[in-house]
Amino acid sequence: MKQPTQRFSDRVENYVKYRPTYPTTVLRLFQDKCGLTRESAAADVGSGTGILSRLLLETGCTVFGVEPNEDMRKAAEDLLRGESRFISIDGTAEHTTLQAESVDFIAAAQAFHWFDRPQASAEFRRIARPDASAAILWNTRLAKETAFLRAYEELLIRYAPEYSVVDHRNVSTEEIKAFYLPSRFQYASFPNSQRFDFEGLKGRLLSSSYAPNVNEPNHLSMMAELRRLFDEHEESGKVEFLYRTDVYYGSIRGQGQY
């Protein structure tokens, strides 16, 4: 199995094109409940291609995008070129390289399940100011809501052996609770969705690190099955991914009001 920091090097183009962003209601939550303002310094840890960083910048705050994968980090730098308030950092969740007590808000979007959580917890506390908040969030694909989504889930189980191993849904509520102790976290969720033609559906699948890529075992048979599923379930040339955006947020040093 590839190292977490290298898993997406051959997925960047598809990741940029086909991964979902986050609902604007998430940004309002960060502002209303986590104290995020234009004066804030925010760390987007595991920032990838800059999807969440771009949303955070809409508040006017400064964003440190911390990303260990060079290809993903360069994609974010291209996406956010010209944004003076975006600072790209070659670092990890366990060693961000940021100064102690330097940020007001920390986010980990679509990344927490890759962290060494005890080390990341210590690092988050090191870089956080006393009243800083942290948020962990994922776009969780709904696997059973429609016939297409059920069939897509079965495709992943059949053709992507690593899928069940690296699925972020393996992270338990107890593990998240432990990460925030001695503080307590709050939970919120929001609906999200994407619609794809076949090329988009193919790109969305291949943006996932567990999907067999070109020249890997199962790739051709997986693509043939994906085509069959699309042809069976498309409506007006599109299929729909439904998500629940899960957000866990709270004080990271136990001094916030949650």
Side-chain angles (χ1 to χ4, degrees):
M1 186 178 294
K2 293 180 181 178
Q3 290 295 315
T5 57
Q6 299 302 316
R7 292 187 66 93
F8 291 94
S9 294
D10 59 351
R11 316 281 171 157
V12 172
E13 183 177 355
N14 284 321
Y15 206 105
V16 169
K17 289 182 179 179
Y18 301 116
R19 281 299 180 105
T21 187
Y22 301 93
T24 55
T25 44
V26 169
L27 196 60
R28 290 200 293 273
L29 174 74
F30 293 162
Q31 293 171 307
D32 295 342
K33 301 295 185 180
C34 299
L36 184 67
T37 71
R38 65 180 301 106
E39 286 77 35
S40 299
D44 181 6
V45 180
S47 51
T49 61
I51 294 172
L52 181 65
S53 290
R54 180 166 61 176
L55 190 65
L56 294 174
L57 287 166
E58 292 182 13
T59 68
C61 71
T62 297
V63 178
F64 296 95
V66 180
E67 173 55 47
N69 184 291
E70 181 179 7
D71 298 290
M72 299 280 274
R73 192 172 62 252
K74 286 182 176 178
E77 291 167 0
D78 288 342
L79 175 71
L80 300 171
R81 191 179 303 280
E83 278 282 3
S84 61
R85 291 173 289 107
F86 177 73
I87 298 95
S88 182
I89 303 290
D90 180 2
T92 67
E94 300 79 15
H95 183 59
T96 63
T97 78
L98 296 175
Q99 294 183 358
E101 297 192 0
S102 61
V103 296
D104 305 288
F105 177 70
I106 308 170
Q110 224 69 28
F112 183 76
H113 53 299
W114 300 116
F115 297 169
D116 179 311
R117 288 188 276 281
Q119 290 187 34
S121 176
E123 178 68 352
F124 278 31
R125 283 162 172 76
R126 185 188 70 80
I127 66 175
R129 290 175 177 148
D131 59 351
S133 298
I136 299 163
L137 60 157
W138 288 282
N139 279 316
T140 300
R141 177 175 38 80
L142 302 181
K144 299 180 180 180
E145 297 300 300
T146 66
F148 165 69
L149 290 172
R150 290 191 293 271
Y152 184 82
E153 181 77 2
E154 291 170 5
L155 177 145
L156 297 181
I157 293 169
R158 181 176 179 183
Y159 293 103
E162 289 187 348
Y163 171 57
S164 61
V165 178
V166 301
D167 189 349
H168 76 261
R169 288 173 290 191
N170 293 335
V171 177
S172 69
T173 302
E174 287 303 310
E175 290 174 288
I176 296 173
K177 180 180 178 181
F179 191 82
Y180 279 98
L181 286 174
S183 186
R184 291 182 292 180
F185 70 83
Q186 301 291 320
Y187 170 76
S189 67
F190 307 95
N192 202 3
S193 65
Q194 290 177 293
R195 289 178 60 80
F196 295 116
D197 59 14
F198 181 72
E199 284 304 307
L201 176 62
K202 179 181 174 181
R204 175 63 182 85
L205 172 58
L206 293 179
S207 76
S208 301
S209 69
Y210 48 73
N213 215 339
V214 178
N215 299 323
E216 293 180 352
N218 286 348
H219 175 79
L220 291 178
S221 53
M222 181 181 68
M223 288 295 104
E225 179 64 8
L226 188 72
R227 178 81 246 189
R228 188 191 69 78
L229 292 183
F230 180 84
D231 291 342
E232 180 178 344
H233 295 284
E234 60 86 11
E235 296 182 5
S236 301
K238 298 285 183 68
V239 292
E240 186 172 32
F241 269 31
L242 300 176
Y243 302 96
R244 184 185 65 244
T245 302
D246 296 307
V247 187
Y248 305 84
Y249 62 97
S251 169
I252 195 59
R253 292 181 59 178
Q255 299 181 41
Q257 301 297 315
Y258 287 93

